[in-house]
Amino acid sequence: SFNISNNNQIGIQGVVVLATQSIANLTNLYIASNMLCTKGAEMIGMLNLCYLEILDISDNNICDLGLYYLSTGVLTQLKELNVSLNQITEEGVGYLAQAVFSNTLEWLNIEGNKIKDKGIEHLSYGKFRNISYFKTGENQLTSKSAYDIYKGNFQNLTNLYVENNDLLDEGVNYLMKAQFVPYLKEINLSYNQIGNQGCELLAKAGLTSLELLNIKMNYIDDQGVVEISKGTFPVLKFLNLEDNEI
């Protein structure tokens, strides 16, 4: 494992130095917040990291082209990828959908980028059957993205974080029809303009494995709380209803 996150000054030169080290057997690389930009991502994609399983390259401004280089490199064993806060758009997610590691990936964080619905549509066509943890909050997603998550190759999701988007009750309706619903352990739907209807849909979905439900900062009033109380959540440990209209 190699952790040089949050150094802020490493940049491309740091990747050059990294390339001179004996890292062929490296399995974990944490290099977040280091001003790598697109060129740094390109260089990492070219490194001999064929055993790498975890890569955190968040907050580096790698943009779409940087994600292209990572997706087409030698990272064929990658299981966890964090590319949050990188100015990525749906174009970059299109590259990710065809990544050499799509079959092995289990954990994906693309939050805090500039991704619109088309990006999630790209992912829904990808070979991501092993993904259990998917974080796509703070993008520019609507109920269309919820539909594509529902229809896509995400059958094994257990953790879904889609906070601070624009899913509405319609988006909740799509998500609660998905195959993964009985296996969901955590879902964050905060800041999505969800109302009482969304609460009713959650209550009726059969979220029998759910341990955490975050519906903070929506348009839920007392009736929504009544609807949630009617649901069956046998293992629920954490319910966040803060900053609603209760």
Side-chain angles (χ1 to χ4, degrees), residues 146-183:
Y147 173 81
D148 286 322
I149 292 173
Y150 148 56
K151 296 294 286 186
N153 292 320
F154 298 104
Q155 296 95 324
N156 293 312
L157 276 183
T158 60
N159 295 60
L160 177 61
Y161 309 91
V162 286
E163 70 278 6
N164 210 354
N165 282 293
D166 198 16
L167 299 190
L168 311 177
D169 291 337
E170 182 181 9
V172 177
N173 182 40
Y174 290 134
L175 291 177
M176 292 303 102
K177 293 178 180 178
Q179 288 183 329
F180 55 74
V181 163
Y183 313 109

Side-chain angles (χ1 to χ4, degrees), residues 90-229:
E90 49 272 24
E91 179 184 346
V93 180
Y95 302 136
L96 179 61
Q98 303 176 57
V100 295
F101 47 77
S102 59
N103 283 318
T104 61
L105 204 64
E106 300 172 1
W107 192 103
L108 176 61
N109 186 344
I110 56 172
E111 73 174 3
N113 283 294
K114 298 181 177 180
I115 300 165
K116 297 181 181 178
D117 291 331
K118 192 66 177 178
I120 304 303
E121 182 180 341
H122 288 318
L123 284 183
S124 72
Y125 296 132
K127 300 176 182 179
F128 293 106
R129 288 183 173 85
N130 291 315
I131 285 188
S132 60
Y133 182 107
F134 185 32
K135 199 162 184 140
T136 183
E138 299 181 53
N139 279 294
Q140 300 172 33
L141 310 181
T142 72
S143 58
K144 173 64 168 62
S145 287
Y147 173 81
D148 286 322
I149 292 173
Y150 148 56
K151 296 294 286 186
N153 292 320
F154 298 104
Q155 296 95 324
N156 293 312
L157 276 183
T158 60
N159 295 60
L160 177 61
Y161 309 91
V162 286
E163 70 278 6
N164 210 354
N165 282 293
D166 198 16
L167 299 190
L168 311 177
D169 291 337
E170 182 181 9
V172 177
N173 182 40
Y174 290 134
L175 291 177
M176 292 303 102
K177 293 178 180 178
Q179 288 183 329
F180 55 74
V181 163
Y183 313 109
L184 270 182
K185 294 180 179 179
E186 296 189 4
I187 185 166
N188 189 341
L189 293 163
S190 59
Y191 297 88
N192 267 294
Q193 301 187 58
I194 294 166
N196 296 338
Q197 182 185 5
C199 291
E200 182 180 0
L201 292 163
L202 288 165
K204 293 180 177 179
L207 292 161
T208 53
S209 300
L210 198 67
E211 299 177 6
L212 181 149
L213 173 58
N214 190 341
I215 44 179
K216 174 183 178 179
M217 200 66 186
N218 282 295
Y219 295 148
I220 299 164
D221 61 24
D222 293 349
Q223 184 58 40
V225 178
V226 171
E227 296 298 339
I228 288 290
S229 69

Side-chain angles (χ1 to χ4, degrees), residues 27-40:
T27 57
N28 300 5
L29 177 57
Y30 303 92
I31 197 165
S33 305
N34 272 300
M35 300 171 60
L36 298 185
C37 300
T38 300
K39 186 63 177 178

Side-chain angles (χ1 to χ4, degrees), residues 35-51:
M35 300 171 60
L36 298 185
C37 300
T38 300
K39 186 63 177 178
E42 178 183 9
M43 296 179 69
I44 288 175
M46 294 170 61
L47 293 178
N48 184 23
L49 295 173
C50 55
Y51 295 107

